[in-house]
Amino acid sequence: MATATLTIDLAALVRNWQALDAKTDCETAAVIKADGYGLGAARVAQALAHAGVRKFFVAATEEGAEVRQALGPGPEINVFSGHMPGDTDMINDLQLTPMVNSIDQMLRHVESLPGRPFGVQLDTGMNRLGMEAAEWAAVREIAEGQNPTLIMSHLACADAPDHPMNVQQLQAFTEMTEGVTAPRSLAATGGILLGKDYHFDLTRPGVGLYGGFPFDDAEAVAHVTVPVIQCRDVDVGETVGYSNTWTAQRPSRVATIAAGYADGLPRIMGENIKVFHGDVACPVIGRISMDMIGVDVSHLDDDPLTLDILTPEQTVDMLAEAAGTIGYEILTSLGARYTRRYVA
Ligand SMILES: *Cc1c(COP(=O)(O)O)cnc(C)c1O
């Protein structure tokens, strides 16, 4: 077998949700967009629903359909992109709840599916999705007359606790929602960590569930183990990999492992990451190829059968740092080629 194994620890996922839930006095939902941040929306949703999560959020109606199939009727499945043209049948048949973000979307929803639930997304400064203050003021009465399930907005800088944008958006959200009777939601993972002022009635953590920054106390959820395809001796002066970027300075033992940038391990990480044999670190050498990485295993007693790349010692955030990106992008890039193993 020459495919890497992505092990997803559903028990750790559930503990991360519980730990975030324990930081608030309100309800805690779960964001499982982008196939559960790359880890498998159906399995993630089932594990969390089993642990008591009743509200889920996805990016698109199509994602919501998959989650509904996995969960069956009951849990609320909310859609951040709202009610797009062509979504009506799926929203209706699969009991999805669009978070409408404009007057157009709200009208589309109440005209095509009168009486069916929806939430309202407000823009409080991020300028990405949601009604702006003037737009909201114009339709607030009509919207409230339809009993929206949620009024929500999203923070742009919540992973930087001291950023003035946080207070600014909190103030805007508080003003725009003053006196509403519908439940309110502002915080994702970062917002939960900003404290109770940001929690309102419902929080919407995503990345923290999957073990990523800014939830520093999160447990690792994703583990990647890669088979060794071949080991060889390399003499002083010989090179390894594309473009000859690594030259042996001493007689070396080199392992070639079966994962590469096509598995979401960015080429740019190169020699900034390590791979692990148990807790022994082994340097990456040469370029990361599409399907393979070279590893210096000279210091191991025996040739390894497998090596680990995503471990509690080398987290998604450490890989992200080595690649100049964020943990979210590492997780959602892991790709389809892994053999996925779910453990609970
Ligand atoms: C992705 C997203 C979340 C979850 O954010 P995390 O930072 O992953 O916790 C919550 N709300 C909205 C609107 C989002 O787009």
Side-chain angles (χ1 to χ4, degrees):
M1 187 179 84
T3 56
T5 302
L6 172 58
T7 302
I8 295 137
D9 186 341
L10 295 172
L13 169 91
V14 165
R15 285 192 295 273
N16 287 336
W17 180 83
Q18 288 165 336
L20 289 167
D21 182 50
K23 293 183 185 300
T24 75
D25 299 324
C26 66
E27 184 170 1
T28 305
V31 178
I32 55 172
K33 61 193 180 191
D35 195 27
Y37 288 49
L39 301 184
R43 297 299 297 268
V44 162
Q46 285 165 344
L48 290 171
H50 192 70
V53 181
R54 304 315 292 161
K55 294 192 164 91
F56 294 88
F57 287 86
V58 294
T61 299
E62 289 79 1
E63 293 180 346
E66 190 200 336
V67 173
R68 177 61 76 208
Q69 260 142 29
L71 290 181
E76 196 177 275
I77 300 171
N78 301 288
V79 181
F80 286 136
S81 56
H83 191 144
M84 295 284 285
D87 282 351
T88 306
D89 285 348
M90 242 189 301
I91 289 171
N92 188 41
D93 296 347
L94 297 166
Q95 316 228 330
L96 308 177
T97 307
M99 299 287 113
V100 302
N101 49 58
S102 64
I103 295 179
D104 276 358
Q105 282 208 354
M106 192 177 87
L107 294 178
R108 179 180 298 130
H109 186 74
V110 299
E111 282 166 11
S112 61
L113 297 173
R116 297 302 300 275
F118 69 97
V120 177
Q121 221 165 156
L122 302 179
D123 178 57
T124 52
M126 189 176 187
N127 286 309
R128 193 177 65 167
L129 278 186
M131 297 187 203
E132 301 205 355
E135 208 180 354
W136 171 234
V139 293
R140 176 173 166 170
E141 206 172 318
I142 303 166
E144 286 206 85
Q146 308 277 328
N147 294 318
T149 57
L150 193 68
I151 313 273
M152 59 161 282
S153 188
H154 192 51
L155 297 167
C157 304
D159 56 0
D162 297 327
H163 201 293
M165 185 69 163
N166 295 321
V167 177
Q168 204 174 304
Q169 286 193 271
L170 174 62
Q171 203 171 346
F173 187 64
T174 305
E175 280 168 21
M176 286 168 84
T177 59
E178 208 183 321
V180 298
T181 50
R184 294 184 287 178
S185 177
L186 180 61
T189 304
I192 292 174
L193 303 173
L194 292 178
K196 294 222 181 332
D197 287 351
Y198 288 82
H199 296 168
F200 295 90
D201 302 300
L202 180 78
T203 63
R204 312 181 308 269
V207 76
L209 307 175
Y210 308 99
F213 176 83
F215 184 28
D216 291 330
D217 297 335
E219 284 184 54
V221 171
H223 306 267
V224 169
T225 299
V226 189
V228 173
I229 310 175
Q230 189 179 19
C231 290
R232 76 181 65 247
D233 291 319
V234 173
D235 285 335
V236 173
E238 285 195 282
T239 58
V240 171
Y242 282 122
S243 307
N244 291 5
T245 58
W246 187 87
T247 305
Q249 306 296 325
R250 56 183 170 83
S252 301
R253 186 78 180 156
V254 173
T256 301
I257 65 171
Y261 60 77
D263 301 291
L265 304 171
R267 188 174 167 280
I268 196 170
M269 295 191 307
E271 298 178 5
N272 296 333
I273 61 161
K274 301 195 167 355
V275 298
F276 288 84
H277 180 62
D279 50 16
V280 181
C282 305
V284 163
I285 56 180
R287 290 267 158 91
I288 293 179
S289 302
M290 183 185 293
D291 321 301
M292 282 166 276
I293 301 175
V295 182
D296 185 350
V297 295
S298 309
H299 55 305
L300 300 184
D301 293 337
D302 297 303
D303 287 346
L305 296 177
T306 62
L307 289 165
D308 300 331
I309 204 156
L310 185 54
T311 76
E313 290 79 39
Q314 184 166 259
T315 63
V316 285
D317 293 309
M318 291 160 78
L319 293 183
E321 165 132 27
T325 183
I326 53 176
Y328 300 74
E329 190 175 351
I330 296 294
L331 283 170
T332 56
S333 302
L334 285 172
R337 196 157 55 177
Y338 293 93
T339 300
R340 282 160 189 254
R341 246 181 85 230
Y342 290 88
V343 297

